[in-house]
Amino acid sequence: MILPIFLMFSFLLSSSSCNALDFCVADLKTPQGLAGYSCKKLELVTVDDFIFSGLHAGNTSNLIKAAVTPAFTAQFPGVNGLGISIARLDLAVGGVVPMHTHPDSSEIIIVIQGIIDAGFVSSANKVYFKTLKTGDIMVFPQGLLHFQINAGTTPALAYVSFSSPSPGVQILDFALFGNDLPSNIIEETTFLDDAQVKKLKGVLGGT
């Protein structure tokens, strides 16, 4: 009889401690740790910490013809600790967001304009792929490789939400070819020949 009462009391204590703070606006002057940023002093918090007005069209004049405009903790301190964030995705004609992962977040995309091919690869290497049209929504589970491609003849626009205020990102192409990883290691692990590896390193800024 004592044990169930103790467990219930412990649960109530833990629940109340989780709700001790209404929010934890990020103090961007402090270092970011694994748990996020430290909380800004309550007397310094204003309504502007909970508003973000920067989801404007991004510059797609780049190699991938795409732009991601984030509203993560670093840009939007009010989402710190809330388990949510959002970004705008602009894809010019021919634009692509290459295979990438978000190690700390699942993702949902909603297409606002245009046609987008999107998909992800499960840990069993099964591909889940669909052509999305205006109003369509797709979810990408946390940590899995996924991509988006403008499949239409006009620019595409989408909004992307995340289950983390700082979802993190690793783009596969840049992880392989955009750094100083020796070419022979890449060739052995990807089965690409030397000419292909050097070409991709040249395109993506690797050495």
Side-chain angles (χ1 to χ4, degrees), residues 21-143:
L21 295 175
D22 292 329
F23 47 78
C24 177
V25 172
D27 183 351
L28 300 181
K29 296 178 181 178
T30 63
Q32 184 179 19
L34 291 175
Y37 288 91
S38 299
C39 301
K40 193 175 183 179
K41 291 183 179 180
L42 191 57
E43 61 269 23
L44 300 178
V45 173
T46 71
V47 67
D48 290 333
D49 290 314
F50 303 100
I51 297 171
F52 182 78
S53 303
L55 288 184
H56 308 304
N59 182 6
T60 57
S61 299
N62 52 53
L63 177 66
I64 61 175
K65 299 181 181 178
V68 177
T69 306
F72 303 156
T73 303
Q75 300 83 27
F76 191 10
V79 300
N80 188 52
L82 298 183
I84 55 172
S85 60
I86 193 169
R88 171 179 173 140
L89 171 61
D90 290 281
L91 290 166
V93 176
V96 56
V97 180
M99 283 284 189
H100 64 285
T101 69
H102 301 290
D104 300 321
S105 177
S106 296
E107 172 184 336
I108 291 179
I109 184 173
I110 177 169
V111 179
I112 305 300
Q113 172 187 313
I115 301 172
I116 295 176
D117 285 343
F120 66 88
V121 183
S122 76
S123 57
N125 294 323
K126 182 173 180 179
V127 178
Y128 296 86
F129 166 78
K130 190 77 173 180
T131 297
L132 307 177
K133 299 180 180 179
T134 300
D136 287 345
I137 297 172
M138 186 172 185
V139 65
F140 307 97
Q142 179 173 340

Side-chain angles (χ1 to χ4, degrees), residues 136-152:
D136 287 345
I137 297 172
M138 186 172 185
V139 65
F140 307 97
Q142 179 173 340
L144 297 185
L145 284 167
H146 59 286
F147 63 90
Q148 294 95 18
I149 302 170
N150 185 341

Side-chain angles (χ1 to χ4, degrees), residues 123-200:
S123 57
N125 294 323
K126 182 173 180 179
V127 178
Y128 296 86
F129 166 78
K130 190 77 173 180
T131 297
L132 307 177
K133 299 180 180 179
T134 300
D136 287 345
I137 297 172
M138 186 172 185
V139 65
F140 307 97
Q142 179 173 340
L144 297 185
L145 284 167
H146 59 286
F147 63 90
Q148 294 95 18
I149 302 170
N150 185 341
T153 57
T154 60
L157 167 64
Y159 287 103
V160 186
S161 62
F162 299 92
S163 61
S164 168
S166 299
V169 64
Q170 184 173 39
I171 299 176
L172 182 60
D173 293 352
F174 289 96
L176 286 173
F177 307 108
N179 53 42
D180 60 355
L181 184 63
S183 295
N184 66 300
I185 299 296
I186 300 175
E187 291 159 21
E188 291 178 17
T189 57
T190 64
F191 307 107
L192 296 172
D193 63 38
D194 186 63
Q196 290 172 314
V197 170
K198 287 181 178 178
K199 177 182 177 181
L200 289 167

